[in-house]
């Protein structure tokens, strides 16, 4: 298939592009490089430097004619979205509406979308399935939930077929070691552990050690980015073959605590990784993990690389070389 990957130079996008090429799809990347990196592009990719807020950039892209598009271009820092909601309204919501409208005008009606576990908010029960109540606790999660609703309307009114992929905590690096572009100013746990292991940070903070979990720290469902990438390709193939929209959770089904992640990283890197225990971070649920039975059933998707060891080893391979 001829696929346009919007946000394809970013952390998750570049892994998706690699997986698409491995499966013989032809890829054009559209990215404004605000957080994406030229280094993440492959020589075989066509590249359009463009912004989803500029209709003319999207026109230029979609007029090339694609069988499908994957949309990963979004701001994703939950904390920042509570301080600068406008930034998230404009980029995540307005930008996505621009994409939806342009895609439909050009009859490009197959879409894979990066949604998020952030749409669920505080868990009412565990593991979280697709039907779990949706009460986002941050504005970022709200933007993703709104987009899921827009897509459902565009399915009904314009015949859009979409796969909404609700990622849990994306982590790790390309298992083949080809993609090595580091995220700039990361805010997530694993890159922060790695920056501390490398000495880029003197110490790291553990946000809260008094949660009702075994070791007192928060538990999350970390899913390897190579596993996430394979879900995109399977989802794309599913919606085009079945002409049916789907929404699935993507997690490993296992929870790992903050201390487990830090201790495993200490073993793998052989570095001290100094950490200090501080107050809880606002808006952090104690425990989040998914059930991905639906993805298994519909897409035959399972995680292969989402254990703590592989997550940390593949990330350390990249940080250790920098
Ligand atoms: N944490 C620390 N210290 C740090 C950074 C994080 O202790 O320096 C803790 C957090 O408090 C949390 C856990 O590590 O308990 C994971 O935090 P992240 O910031 O890495 O991830 P979140 O679970 O907050 O959110 C991530 C993505 C969201 C996505 C969500 C889905 O950033 O975009 O996963 O589960 F929606």
């Amino acid at each position: 298939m001829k696929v346009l990957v919007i946000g394809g130079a970013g952390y998750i996008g570049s892994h998706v592009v690699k997986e698409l090429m491995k499966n013989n799809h032809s890829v054009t990347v559209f990215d404004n490089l605000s957080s994406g990196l030229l280094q993440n592009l492959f020589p075989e990719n066509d590249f359009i430097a463009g912004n989803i807020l500029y209709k003319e950039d999207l026109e230029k892209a979609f007029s090339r004619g694609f069988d499908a598009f994957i949309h990963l271009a979004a701001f994703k820092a939950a904390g920042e979205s509570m301080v600068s909601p406008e930034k998230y309204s404009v980029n995540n919501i307005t930008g996505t509406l621009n994409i939806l409208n342009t895609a439909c005008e050009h009859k490009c009606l197959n879409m894979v979308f990066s949604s998020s576990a952030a749409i669920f908010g505080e868990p009412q029960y565990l593991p979280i399935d697709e039907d779990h109540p949706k009460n986002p606790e941050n504005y970022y999660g709200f933007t993703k939930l709104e987009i899921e609703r827009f897509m459902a309307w565009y399915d009904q009114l314009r015949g859009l077929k979409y796969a909404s992929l609700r990622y849990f905590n994306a982590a790790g690096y390309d298992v083949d070691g080809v993609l090595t572009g580091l995220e700039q100013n990361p805010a997530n746990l694993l890159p922060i552990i790695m920056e501390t292991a490398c000495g880029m940070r003197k110490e790291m903070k553990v946000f809260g050690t008094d949660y009702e979990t075994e070791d007192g720290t928060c538990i999350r469902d970390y899913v390897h980015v190579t596993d996430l990438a394979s879900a995109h390709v399977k989802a794309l193939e599913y919606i085009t073959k079945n002409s049916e929209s789907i929404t699935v959770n993507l997690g490993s089904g296992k929870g790992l605590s903050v201390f487990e992640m830090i201790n495993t990283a200490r073993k793998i890197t052989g570095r001290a990784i100094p950490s200090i225990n501080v107050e809880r971070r606002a808006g952090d649920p104690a425990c989040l993990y998914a059930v991905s039975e639906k993805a298994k059933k519909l897409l035959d998707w399972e995680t292969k690389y989402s254990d703590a060891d592989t997550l940390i080893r593949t990330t350390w391979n990249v940080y250790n070389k920098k």
Side-chain angles (χ1 to χ4, degrees):
M1 264 184 275
K2 225 180 135 191
V3 186
L4 178 67
V5 183
I6 303 170
Y11 166 57
I12 300 177
S14 56
H15 288 80
V16 171
V17 168
K18 177 167 176 272
E19 190 71 19
L20 283 165
M21 293 196 310
K22 202 169 121 191
N23 286 274
N24 302 316
H25 297 291
S26 120
V27 178
T28 298
V29 171
F30 180 105
D31 204 298
N32 70 353
L33 301 177
S34 66
S35 59
L37 302 169
L38 279 177
Q39 179 202 337
N40 281 339
L41 298 174
F42 293 88
E44 302 91 310
N45 299 148
D46 278 338
F47 175 62
I48 300 172
N51 191 318
I52 58 174
L53 297 179
Y54 303 149
K55 272 285 267 175
E56 58 277 20
D57 287 357
L58 290 167
E59 278 294 332
K60 192 170 113 192
F62 278 99
S63 61
R64 293 191 185 188
F66 293 98
D67 302 304
F69 65 101
I70 299 182
H71 170 28
L72 310 103
F75 291 126
K76 58 161 188 163
E80 181 194 50
S81 75
M82 298 298 278
V83 189
S84 309
E86 299 82 3
K87 182 173 165 182
Y88 284 72
S89 301
V90 172
N91 190 76
N92 293 14
I93 295 184
T94 309
T96 300
L97 289 174
N98 287 341
I99 294 172
L100 282 175
N101 291 339
T102 317
C104 289
E105 278 155 28
H106 287 269
K107 300 277 175 278
C108 183
L109 296 174
N110 296 301
M111 166 179 190
V112 178
F113 175 65
S114 307
S115 187
S116 170
I119 66 165
F120 295 113
E122 186 68 37
Q124 313 283 302
Y125 57 82
L126 288 166
I128 296 178
D129 58 20
E130 284 77 5
D131 297 326
H132 184 284
K134 281 107 200 146
N135 291 306
E137 281 205 1
N138 52 64
Y139 193 73
Y140 160 74
F142 166 78
T143 65
K144 294 285 178 181
L145 183 57
E146 283 303 285
I147 294 164
E148 287 200 354
R149 292 179 174 146
F150 288 128
M151 291 190 300
W153 278 107
Y154 275 68
D155 179 343
Q156 195 181 318
L157 303 174
R158 289 284 175 262
L160 176 79
K161 295 299 160 220
Y162 65 86
S164 188
L165 306 182
R166 294 170 177 162
Y167 314 154
F168 279 65
N169 289 52
Y173 265 82
D174 179 19
V175 293
D176 299 324
V178 174
L179 291 166
T180 60
L182 286 184
E183 274 195 285
Q184 298 152 41
N185 308 315
N188 293 116
L189 178 65
L190 190 47
I192 287 173
I193 293 176
M194 292 293 130
E195 289 191 354
T196 317
C198 287
M200 291 162 75
R201 289 171 190 255
K202 222 169 75 220
E203 64 189 12
M204 62 167 293
K205 294 178 179 147
V206 175
F207 298 131
T209 53
D210 58 351
Y211 285 97
E212 282 182 22
T213 59
E214 213 164 295
D215 65 20
T217 64
C218 286
I219 290 176
R220 291 289 179 276
D221 185 336
Y222 296 92
V223 52
H224 197 286
V225 67
T226 299
D227 286 329
L228 283 181
S230 81
H232 288 72
V233 178
K234 285 172 180 273
L236 181 63
E237 289 168 354
Y238 181 92
I239 59 167
T240 48
K241 184 165 160 238
N242 297 289
S243 199
E244 177 190 286
S245 297
I246 56 169
T247 298
V248 294
N249 289 353
L250 297 178
S252 71
K254 291 185 307 279
L256 294 167
S257 75
V258 175
F259 278 158
E260 277 178 289
M261 293 291 277
I262 297 174
N263 287 333
T264 312
R266 285 180 178 138
K267 272 187 221 132
I268 288 173
T269 63
R271 305 284 171 95
I273 314 185
S275 69
I276 49 163
N277 300 338
V278 299
E279 289 297 293
R280 292 180 179 199
R281 189 174 68 175
D284 270 348
C287 190
L288 273 184
Y289 55 93
V291 59
S292 301
E293 280 306 309
K294 194 172 168 194
K296 162 119 182 76
K297 194 166 140 230
L298 294 181
L299 307 177
D300 191 26
W301 178 83
E302 271 181 314
T303 54
K304 282 194 199 151
Y305 306 110
S306 300
D307 54 287
D309 224 68
T310 311
L311 288 163
I312 292 168
R313 213 172 280 286
T314 54
T315 313
W316 181 237
N317 282 345
V318 177
Y319 275 84
N320 195 22
K321 284 193 193 119
K322 297 282 167 181

